[in-house]
Amino acid sequence: MQALINELNQICTKFPYKEKVVVVDSHAIREQINEAFVKEGHQGINLKYKTVNDLAQTFVELNSEQPQNSLDHTVGVHFTYNLLKELKNQNKLHYFAEMEITPAFSHAVFTTIQTLRLAGYTKDTLKKNAFINPDKADDIYEILAEYENTITIHQFIDKAGLINKALETDQIDEKGVFILLSGLNLSHLEDQFLRKIIPETVYKLPLAPVLGVNTPERTSLSSVHWGPPTPLSYLYQQEEKSGKPNLDLFTAKTEEMEVKQILEKIKMAKASLDESVVFYTNADAYITLFYHLSQKMDLPITFGEGLPVSFSRPGRLVSGLIGWIQSNYSVAAFLDLLNEGLIELGEGAPSKARISRVLRDLQIGWSQERYLTHLDLEIERLDEKLLQAEDNSTYEARLKEISWLKQWFAGILKKLPQLNSIMNYKKSLNGIAYLLKNNCKTSSALDEIAKSTLLEEIDRILPFADESLSSYDLFEKVKDLLLTVHVNQSRPKPGHLHICTFKSGIYNSRPNVFFVGLDNKKFPGNASEDPLLLDTERIQLGNGLSLLREKGQENLYTLLQVLANSNGRVTVSYCNFDMNDNRVVNPAFVVLQCYRLITGNKDAEFKALKSLPSSIIANDIFEDKDYWNEKLTNPETHQLNEGILNHFTNVKHGLTAETARNTGNFSEYDGLVQIDAAQYDPRLNQDKTLSAGKLETLAKCPYSYFLREVLKVRPVEDVSFDANKWLDAATRGSLLHSIFENFYKKLQQDHAKPSYEKHLELILTIAQNLMEQQKEVLPPPNERVYQRERSDILACCEIFLKEEELHSENYVPLHFEYSFGIGDKEPAIINLSSGQVKISGIIDRVDQSNDGKYHIIDYKTGSTYGYANNAAFKGGRQLQHMIYALAIEQHLNLGEGAVEESSYYFPTQKGLAQRFTRKQDKTLRTNGLDILEKLIDGVKHGHFEMTDDVNDCKFCDFKLVCRRHFYDKETLEMKQSNQKLKGVRAYD
């Protein structure tokens, strides 16, 4: 690099006032050379850096009155996608006829088009005989012709078109001084253009030579002007080496350790960050690691190739929005966006917790319509409550929340597209852009840059995006357009560590240089063909087309050129273990050459590299886990002292809990708690009402009752879209209850008894009407699923009617959905020896027998699993029959013993109309009241042990919370040996 700067300074000294144009491959290289030039204290008056494209643009502008509309890569790929679709639909493709037209394929075809055009080919000059297959040649011709026609229609000019226009001029710049970089990367057209415009005398800046390997073939303009060799020039020709190389080598167990060791070395050298640069061989393996460490340590880093847009909030918002739309606006997908803090809701918004609770409680589930209809229904319900309630404050607050949500969702859902099989690309992009502009949270400069970049990408494509696509194709295009974007690309900045690919490192002037990822998986890369333009075809086409099989050799040459050209200290490294594949990784051959150069042993083999130290943990502490990793890997035992435990209170509490759980004592970590009996014992707190379901839960598993009723833990209940299911079990059961209730109420009006022959049409009509209403609230995923579930419900109605025809010979229905303790209904009261308990509930049906006795019926719409004729209480798990019998007697003043029997009735195809009847005799009631007494005493004393039967855990919502499965059988039995649940289980 020093030789290059000296040469450039000599030219500037020789021509102090003339315009001097340095032809570079990219503006990034311009920045690097200029920085190094200025650092050396040189000044260049009238010194300019231009790419070939810059020169062509200047020539065209000077010779054309019309402004040139340059074709952007994004728009070019879009055009290519559309023309491929059109050619395929017109059956004009033969070789590619079976190819699926995807964004990835469109990118590859667009790249091939640019390669051919920059090599000087158009549809009129294409060598069809260069292709191995005539059909392929014809397809390439058709694609090229359609592409040229498309950009002409839209008045765009691509890079090849720009250079061809520049070639039409006859100007040669004799006034200026042209300076070429060594090894310019020129296409055939660029080479022709440069030859035409530069004078005979040009200067070429030198590079340090790379010895011992073949130099890639280049034209005279692209050749290399060699400067004096450096110690690293001899890496592959060590027998002639001169001078001691300033070179280090290390290996690490993981890429993360590799990165951390680099930061350690910078720290130990006390080097400033802007004196260091890291070159990687694989961006995916290292950019993420450097970025996350920079965020944790507040470390200033610039990234030459930028960062994936997914590192920013706007990028994650776009990804989440695509997922939300694809899921048909699933509530769960929206809540993920909300809880990650990606959406800005605006003023007056309820809290995230409130929004989550509302959306889940309303059972919205999915689809744009369900958000708005369910919120509307809730608004109507709350309006009615406001008219009825004496204290309006609670309802007014909730109504304000719901109204705000309705307005907010109506606003954004109006902008976003409906999920259909065919969707409009432009409307979808406009919807995403609307949310990016108005509802995207940003909290950093990266976020702001990402937001602007994404909106620019959308604006760039919108004029050409008014088209209908299948939903699959649309989402693939949106992902390709927006989620593959890289943002915050940057040149090296003062005060910042710079990270970039080694391919951009030839003109680096920083003194501390690190090369990472030099294992044989990442470098030099596998030689592979381009299936669209094979190497055989490239050779036949000629015009300097690069061969893909030489890519590995070119990568090696570029790396060696960067090494030879580097100033100061150079460190190379590789990771020797692949964590994902769980296998050892070997170094690239260039690492062995570095080892040989460092040690002076030019005959060393790969096995010598195995002796290099390779730590699995960081030697310095960059984040919390580095501290703990050192403790975990240290062979000495470390007792966590009180100071550390007080800092990590969660760990301290966890250790205390784990110790208690591993003893045989029943403790607060197993369900024995200090409880305010005056609040939770319903005999003491007359404002507290229990239900049969809560008491059955208390009997089944007191710990589950504790979590739900005392700690108020609630499982997340998401209604999710299922393409193979319409109604969940609860909704189906509620629908069947409504059918049976409406059917019997109609019979009561007609003073009729159920008859299969007379009333089949009636019950089926009622069922159909209620199903139609349900469809409006909850549309089925498709007609096939609807017809299947409809047939099942109608079959249940037939079973119900047949059974009721027989049942009605001895019973007459009196009450349907009889409620107590709900709304403004007074609760029922059950008298225990220790006090009164208030009960709430809804009894499905109350019948009266011919002899005047009452019969309670509870519809069950599932299977009969868990029910038997000879298990009245099933260890306390089935209490509803007895509780409802006592409750209805008290509530209707029927007198003790008026309810003779209760039954669980299964009028379904699975249940086959079975009834499990419980005779409500004195013995059963005495036993039942004793069970209630024991259960409520358990609450009073804070005894909430876990169930003694693992089968009770099968369908429990709290399996992830209770940790019962972590206990061994003996420990659990010891904890439960003297508890009150034993007395309840005694009753079968």
Side-chain angles (χ1 to χ4, degrees), residues 322-323 326 474-485:
I322 294 170
Q326 278 186 296
L474 182 139
F475 290 124
E476 288 302 301
K477 285 200 74 173
V478 174
K479 289 175 186 176
D480 179 70
L481 175 69
L482 300 179
L483 300 185
T484 58
V485 169

Side-chain angles (χ1 to χ4, degrees), residues 116-373:
L116 288 170
R117 285 177 57 78
L118 286 169
Y121 290 107
T122 66
K123 65 179 176 61
D124 298 322
T125 60
L126 184 68
K127 294 180 183 177
K128 286 191 174 183
N129 60 356
F131 295 90
I132 61 171
N133 185 300
D135 285 345
K136 183 178 183 181
D138 290 341
D139 283 5
I140 295 291
Y141 172 83
E142 290 288 348
I143 292 167
L144 201 52
E146 190 62 31
Y147 169 80
E148 291 172 4
N149 182 51
T150 300
I151 61 173
T152 300
I153 290 171
H154 291 285
Q155 299 182 334
F156 278 108
I157 187 169
D158 61 6
K159 187 176 180 180
L162 181 70
I163 295 174
N164 275 319
K165 271 190 173 294
L167 280 167
E168 293 172 6
T169 67
D170 295 325
Q171 296 185 25
I172 297 177
D173 192 342
E174 298 284 2
K175 298 178 182 178
V177 176
F178 274 82
I179 308 165
L180 304 182
L181 290 187
S182 288
L184 277 173
N185 186 19
L186 299 175
S187 66
H188 177 69
L189 282 184
E190 290 171 321
D191 190 87
Q192 282 188 322
F193 171 64
L194 266 186
R195 288 179 188 280
K196 188 167 185 177
I197 67 167
I198 62 176
E200 289 185 11
T201 303
V202 295
Y203 294 88
K204 187 168 285 191
L205 297 178
L207 288 176
V210 175
L211 306 173
V213 297
N214 294 327
T215 304
E217 292 184 13
R218 294 188 172 102
T219 65
S220 58
L221 290 182
S222 298
S223 62
V224 179
H225 169 45
W226 301 116
T230 66
L232 291 179
S233 294
Y234 297 94
L235 193 59
Y236 273 62
Q237 194 170 302
Q238 296 186 16
E239 58 275 6
E240 299 179 14
K241 70 176 181 179
S242 63
K244 187 176 180 181
N246 199 355
L247 181 64
D248 279 338
L249 166 64
F250 74 87
T251 181
K253 191 63 70 179
T254 65
E255 282 103 348
E256 182 183 347
M257 290 303 106
E258 197 177 355
V259 167
K260 287 180 177 178
Q261 283 197 50
I262 287 173
L263 297 178
E264 286 173 19
K265 289 180 180 295
I266 294 173
K267 180 180 175 181
M268 289 175 64
K270 297 182 179 179
S272 62
L273 291 175
D274 55 9
E275 291 179 338
S276 303
V277 62
V278 180
F279 296 122
Y280 51 72
T281 57
N282 181 283
D284 293 339
Y286 294 98
I287 283 181
T288 302
L289 291 169
F290 273 109
Y291 174 73
H292 287 310
L293 277 174
S294 73
Q295 295 302 295
K296 290 176 181 177
M297 301 171 61
D298 196 21
L299 197 66
I301 296 180
T302 50
F303 295 88
E305 293 185 302
L307 297 167
V309 75
S310 59
F311 285 10
S312 70
R313 285 174 180 267
R316 296 198 299 278
L317 173 63
V318 169
S319 178
L321 282 175
I322 294 170
W324 189 33
I325 301 169
Q326 278 186 296
S327 69
N328 197 11
Y329 296 95
S330 151
V331 165
F334 173 77
L335 293 180
D336 286 342
L337 283 172
L338 183 68
N339 292 327
E340 197 178 340
L342 301 177
I343 289 187
E344 185 71 64
L345 296 171
E347 291 184 9
S351 68
K352 292 179 187 177
R354 288 296 303 150
I355 293 173
S356 299
R357 176 63 65 87
V358 167
L359 296 182
R360 284 178 168 134
D361 286 351
L362 294 183
Q363 298 285 285
I364 290 171
W366 67 93
S367 93
Q368 287 190 353
E369 294 82 1
R370 285 170 59 82
Y371 281 86
L372 303 182
T373 55

Side-chain angles (χ1 to χ4, degrees), residues 490-522:
S490 175
R491 64 176 179 80
K493 290 182 180 179
H496 290 67
L497 174 66
H498 190 61
I499 315 294
C500 68
T501 172
F502 72 93
K503 296 175 184 178
S504 302
I506 291 176
Y507 300 98
N508 162 66
S509 60
R510 294 191 171 189
N512 293 317
V513 185
F514 298 89
F515 293 84
V516 296
L518 290 176
D519 59 77
N520 64 4
K521 284 185 66 178
K522 301 185 187 78

